[in-house]
Amino acid sequence: MANGKWRPATIEQPVKPREYAEPYWLYALTGAGYSDDYALLTELAKGRGLGDCGRSASWVWDGEIFRLASYRAMDRCRGGAAGLWLLRWRTRNQPKG
């Protein structure tokens, strides 16, 4: 909140948004959750019901923006085990949430 007005929180993106993406995609999360105890924002977006593709990420509030803490993704749906996605980013100090 700045000057008594609410504004959307900035969320550090794990991948660069497409050039033609609408601005609201910078704030849209699928299956989002938030932990007050750890100031941790999470997302889980399965590419399909099997869970063999998709992405999961977590962000920690630093007082100004949500900073990326971890990011896993599997871009192609290949029938593998659910949630076994490639780790693409993780901070040294991983939140406990």
Side-chain angles (χ1 to χ4, degrees):
M1 188 161 76
N3 299 326
K5 294 184 181 179
W6 291 98
R7 64 177 174 78
T10 301
I11 301 169
E12 189 174 47
Q13 297 297 309
V15 293
K16 184 179 177 183
R18 295 183 177 108
E19 290 181 27
Y20 56 85
E22 296 291 332
Y24 64 83
W25 282 112
L26 297 176
Y27 307 105
L29 298 176
T30 302
Y34 181 75
S35 166
D36 243 351
D37 295 336
Y38 302 102
L40 185 70
L41 178 66
T42 58
E43 174 187 42
L44 175 62
K46 294 192 295 185
R48 60 185 185 172
L50 295 175
D52 61 336
C53 57
R55 75 184 217 164
S56 66
S58 64
W59 297 265
V60 176
W61 180 251
D62 73 356
E64 300 210 12
I65 73 169
F66 281 102
R67 298 272 178 203
L68 186 63
S70 67
Y71 177 62
R72 291 181 176 273
M74 181 63 72
D75 297 328
R76 294 185 182 229
C77 301
R78 297 181 181 203
L84 292 181
W85 305 332
L86 301 173
L87 178 63
R88 296 187 180 180
W89 173 262
R90 181 177 58 201
T91 59
R92 176 178 282 175
N93 298 314
Q94 182 64 29
K96 295 179 182 179

